[in-house]
Amino acid sequence: SMYTDDSVGGKSRFQVLKEELIKLQREHPGVVAVYSFSDYCEIRENGNPELYGSMTNLTGALDYVRQKWDDSFVTFVVISDGEPDDKRSALDCAARFKCKIDTIFVGPENDRDGRNFLEQLSKAGHGQHQDDFRVAQLAAKIETLLLASGG
């Protein structure tokens, strides 16, 4: 679903997402770290995420960032279409976090399963869920979550 045109100048959701994350990292230097995940997870120091087009190993990504950051005062924001490889495993992993996990749904408007999963993930991670927006307002929604968590 990330390749879908989001009616923002004919760009895909992913292209708009990239632009929003780069903008957010530029406006909040040192506050926002961007990680891309698929089969594996990696930090994107320039704020420019990559879309690998393969599997969606959300559990592996959560485990990766939990090991690096979970003992700090960090809020994680998972931006997804809500379609990981193993939903149960991802929910179990989120429940082990000390830090809060917020979620933002960026999938198709009619995808209740993806939305419901991300709502469950944010509850398991004691965070908030956002899904009433278009991808073009992603930076504003992340800023709202950052302010709510004191970031």
Side-chain angles (χ1 to χ4, degrees):
S1 69
M2 295 306 290
Y3 287 113
T4 303
D5 178 347
D6 201 41
S7 299
V8 180
K11 298 176 185 175
S12 71
R13 283 192 178 113
F14 185 72
Q15 184 60 41
V16 176
L17 173 81
K18 283 176 73 163
E19 292 169 5
E20 288 289 293
L21 288 174
I22 291 167
K23 172 183 158 188
L24 185 66
Q25 201 171 48
R26 186 176 53 242
E27 291 173 1
H28 299 278
V31 175
V32 176
V34 175
Y35 287 82
S36 289
F37 65 94
S38 181
D39 293 331
Y40 59 93
C41 182
E42 68 178 2
I43 190 164
R44 304 299 298 173
E45 293 186 21
N46 62 0
N48 190 355
E50 284 295 321
L51 187 58
Y52 306 116
S54 187
M55 305 300 285
T56 306
N57 184 2
L58 179 57
T59 303
L62 289 172
D63 250 352
Y64 182 80
V65 296
R66 186 173 60 83
Q67 291 174 27
K68 292 189 172 292
W69 297 102
D70 200 25
D71 287 328
S72 60
F73 297 101
V74 172
T75 297
F76 297 98
V77 180
V78 174
I79 303 167
S80 174
D81 63 1
E83 295 296 328
D85 297 341
D86 186 341
K87 291 180 180 181
R88 173 61 21 218
S89 176
L91 292 171
D92 290 345
C93 185
R96 294 191 299 269
F97 270 68
K98 295 174 189 167
C99 295
K100 184 171 70 160
I101 301 173
D102 293 332
T103 60
I104 299 177
F105 176 73
V106 292
E109 289 182 38
N110 60 353
D111 182 359
R112 288 304 315 153
D113 289 340
R115 286 174 197 244
N116 290 340
F117 168 72
L118 288 176
E119 288 174 22
Q120 292 171 4
L121 187 70
S122 65
K123 285 179 185 170
H126 309 290
Q128 299 178 50
H129 174 71
Q130 300 275 334
D131 72 354
D132 57 344
F133 75 104
R134 296 187 61 76
V135 176
Q137 289 116 19
L138 181 65
K141 289 297 181 176
I142 293 174
E143 286 173 328
T144 298
L145 292 170
L146 288 172
L147 292 172
S149 66

